[in-house]
Amino acid sequence: MRTFLPPPPDFDAAAYVREAAKAIGLTIPPEELAEVALNLERTSGFAELLANVPGLDAEEPAPVFRPGGDAP
Amino acid sequence: MSLRQIAADVQAGRVTARQIVEDALSAIDAARDLQAATHLHRARAVACAERIDARIASGSQPGPLAGVPFAAKNLFDVEGFVTRAGSRATEANAPAGRDAFAIRALEAAGAILVASTNMDELAYGFSGENAHDGNTRNPRDLERSAGGSSSGSAALVAAGAVPLALGTDTNGSVRVPAALSGVAGLKPTYGRISRSGVTPFVRSLDHVGLFASDVRGLALAYDVLQGRDGDDPVQTPRAAKQASPGLGAGTFRAARLGGYFDAPLHPDVRAATDAAAAALGARETVLLELAEAARAASFILTTAEGGQEHLPKLQSQPERFGPLVRNRLRAGALVPATWTACAQKLRRRVTDELCALMREADILIAPATPCPAFPLGTDDWEVAETTLPIRLGIGMFTQALTLTGVPVAVVVCQGVESGLPVGVQIVGRPFQEATVLGAALHLERAGFQMAPQMREPTHA
């Protein structure tokens, strides 16, 4: 059994973290960037697993917004 | 004493609520080496007990939980206190203006809040390790994890200090500590119990849950927690459905979840799951094909929503987050929308798959964790020749089911090889908590219950 799932091919987590953090106003000290990138890379492995589930694109997502709540 | 014994004795006037509260406070004090409680609500608890005793003296009954002392994970609001959620990032928040709904519901039934409890910081973890409040220790073995994130709540019940405690379960934060500490636990259906007054972690997965010394106690407390609350837009509009009346009287068809849930398993966990399946007459093993993908989707939603929840303070005060959560939350805040969109689609599909399996079975049985409690401070831990990153891996079987929102109880027994508790998940259909608790009671009668591990008072 694999401990962690492989990330998407060619995904450079450190470069992504460095740039995307700027988009949301998140400052990441240089000495912590590698750990943030490692965590995101771990998540990307899980995302890659989902990307390979057949036919998921056509699925209706789970949350359904109900205007007015669930009252009959 | 069990929850029901305490309530019966207080109602009958055989003991005062005041005495019960004093005993609980002393027991929590005797158990302080567990680092399970973060605050004792002594004055409030004594005042509450005196009100209950006065009502009984005047001939009225305070409710089905009369005089039952309980603890609440410190992400439940307690009026007048800052809800820290195990973090320093929350310390500057205003004190809570009122108690969380779940605390109000229990106290309206006569129960008495005595303590707030330790937890993984911001509920992001399964180990009960906390950089600010110390690591929760397992009463069964002080060097081991009590499980998390509702670690202190489980540990206080396991230590016999309180017969009831509130927790929350997002990916297994009630089920994992119930299994590792050796107590009964319940994660009701998503949306069943109001979350108002509870610090959110992952809004699409957070549940209020509970621990008790026995299954009937769980059912009694669950019944009073179901009240309708207009302050929680996520709560179901379905009418409350009491689990206690006739508990365990019905029959059910049980099956066992195999495949993903079959490895890696410590021999004690395998033996417990085998025994539970045999006791419930589960001859068939069924496969949830999307279990591993469901676990992946839960992981993604958790990190992404958790990151968004705490983004403002990650931006302004990152130094206030402990090292076990800070960079996980930062990474979560950066998750691409494509990944969460896939996770929500997977949620729909796996929920449909599970519901299809449950057309043939009322109850599904699965291990709660791959192994018994692991030593605190452990990164990697070997289970059945597989090396798991254990702070994450301990929740692999609970996290795979959480996405579907179905009710799950955990009952425990002592492992023969390890001597430690191991837990079994009892999975039911949405809003069929009574069936789940009925099956749990059946297992409890078949030996799935561990006596509390009382702490001896220490004298300075």
Side-chain angles (χ1 to χ4, degrees):
Chain A
M1 181 177 163
R2 293 164 302 194
T3 300
F4 290 112
L5 301 165
D10 302 325
F11 178 51
D12 183 341
Y16 174 90
V17 165
R18 203 177 292 118
E19 294 305 313
K22 295 175 194 168
I24 60 169
L26 187 62
T27 304
I28 299 173
E31 67 274 16
E32 295 189 72
L33 190 119
E35 192 179 319
V36 178
L38 183 68
N39 278 297
L40 195 74
E41 192 172 285
R42 188 175 293 175
T43 309
S44 78
F46 286 118
E48 187 70 355
L49 188 149
L50 293 191
N52 291 317
V53 174
L56 202 56
D57 285 350
E59 197 76 48
E60 178 79 22
V64 178
F65 175 64
R66 299 186 196 283
D70 283 310
Chain B
M1 269 201 294
S2 79
L3 183 161
R4 286 173 304 123
Q5 282 172 323
I6 290 172
D9 286 353
V10 170
Q11 286 161 351
R14 289 189 288 270
V15 63
T16 62
R18 174 75 193 260
Q19 185 60 52
I20 294 290
V21 160
E22 294 292 352
D23 290 350
L25 290 167
S26 297
I28 296 169
D29 192 47
R32 63 183 177 275
D33 57 346
L34 301 178
Q35 305 191 107
T38 53
H39 191 87
L40 293 189
H41 301 290
R42 184 181 298 275
R44 166 190 166 128
V46 167
C48 187
E50 287 175 344
R51 283 196 301 275
I52 287 170
D53 289 332
R55 286 182 64 179
I56 289 168
S58 70
S60 69
Q61 283 297 339
L65 301 179
V68 172
F70 72 98
K73 188 177 184 177
N74 82 11
L75 47 52
F76 285 83
D77 283 351
V78 177
E79 184 180 352
F81 290 87
V82 173
T83 310
R84 291 184 45 251
S87 184
R88 287 192 57 225
T90 52
E91 276 177 348
N93 292 356
R98 72 189 302 201
D99 295 339
F101 176 88
I103 290 176
R104 281 184 277 134
L106 291 177
E107 291 203 329
I112 302 168
L113 177 71
V114 293
S116 295
T117 59
N118 201 357
M119 56 186 284
D120 289 81
E121 183 170 357
L122 301 167
Y124 202 2
F126 289 126
S127 70
E129 293 165 303
N130 188 296
H132 316 294
D133 295 318
N135 299 335
T136 313
R137 295 175 177 275
N138 191 323
R140 313 288 178 181
D141 178 341
L142 298 185
E143 300 307 312
R144 291 177 190 260
S145 165
S149 63
S150 310
S151 51
S153 288
L156 285 185
V157 175
V162 288
L164 173 67
L166 289 170
T168 55
D169 189 314
T170 301
N171 286 296
S173 285
V174 164
R175 291 165 285 163
V176 170
L180 268 48
S181 292
V183 298
L186 175 67
K187 179 200 82 66
T189 309
Y190 181 76
R192 174 77 273 182
I193 297 177
S194 169
R195 305 184 303 192
S196 70
V198 179
T199 304
F201 171 33
V202 181
R203 291 171 192 252
S204 60
L205 297 175
D206 290 342
H207 306 63
V208 168
L210 56 158
F211 306 92
S213 51
D214 65 0
V215 172
R216 284 193 181 279
L218 265 189
L220 205 55
Y222 166 71
D223 283 347
V224 305
L225 284 165
Q226 292 180 65
R228 188 81 177 106
D229 179 18
D231 291 336
D232 180 2
V234 171
Q235 194 188 25
T236 179
R238 289 173 185 242
K241 200 167 161 185
Q242 301 293 291
S244 292
L247 185 70
T251 59
F252 46 81
R253 297 166 300 168
R256 180 173 178 166
L257 281 169
Y260 175 83
F261 296 94
D262 206 35
L265 294 183
H266 184 282
D268 285 344
V269 177
R270 185 175 296 285
T273 313
D274 288 347
L280 295 179
R283 280 180 277 283
E284 195 182 353
T285 296
V286 297
L287 295 182
L288 184 67
E289 302 282 357
L290 287 170
E292 188 183 13
R295 193 258 184 135
S298 294
F299 183 98
I300 290 167
L301 291 175
T302 296
T303 188
E305 286 190 39
Q308 294 307 317
E309 191 69 45
H310 299 293
L311 181 57
K313 282 181 177 157
L314 288 169
Q315 289 165 323
S316 63
Q317 298 175 309
E319 72 285 355
R320 289 185 167 268
F321 294 83
L324 283 175
V325 300
R326 183 169 57 237
N327 287 329
R328 284 196 292 156
L329 289 171
R330 279 174 167 150
L334 297 168
V335 164
T338 304
W339 299 355
T340 55
C342 282
Q344 292 290 6
K345 290 176 178 180
L346 195 284
R347 185 178 203 179
R348 169 76 64 201
R349 190 181 285 186
V350 72
T351 300
D352 290 348
E353 191 194 353
L354 187 69
C355 287
L357 286 181
M358 299 206 78
R359 280 198 280 273
E360 305 297 323
D362 307 299
I363 290 292
L364 298 174
I365 300 156
T369 60
C371 59
F374 52 91
L376 287 160
T378 304
D379 294 321
D380 293 321
W381 190 242
E382 190 167 314
V383 181
E385 298 178 356
T386 299
T387 303
L388 293 177
I390 197 64
R391 290 191 183 91
L392 184 60
I394 196 72
M396 63 182 287
F397 299 138
T398 54
Q399 193 167 27
L401 290 168
T402 212
L403 207 61
T404 61
V406 296
V408 186
V410 166
V411 290
V412 296
C413 62
Q414 186 173 21
V416 171
E417 189 175 297
S418 66
L420 293 165
V422 288
V424 176
Q425 293 187 91
I426 304 163
V427 182
R429 298 190 185 101
F431 301 104
Q432 300 297 318
E433 280 81 356
T435 306
V436 168
L437 289 166
L441 181 64
H442 192 87
L443 286 181
E444 186 175 272
R445 287 172 176 158
F448 279 80
Q449 184 179 26
M450 287 180 71
Q453 187 77 43
M454 312 295 278
R455 308 298 301 160
E456 294 300 324
T458 51
H459 300 285

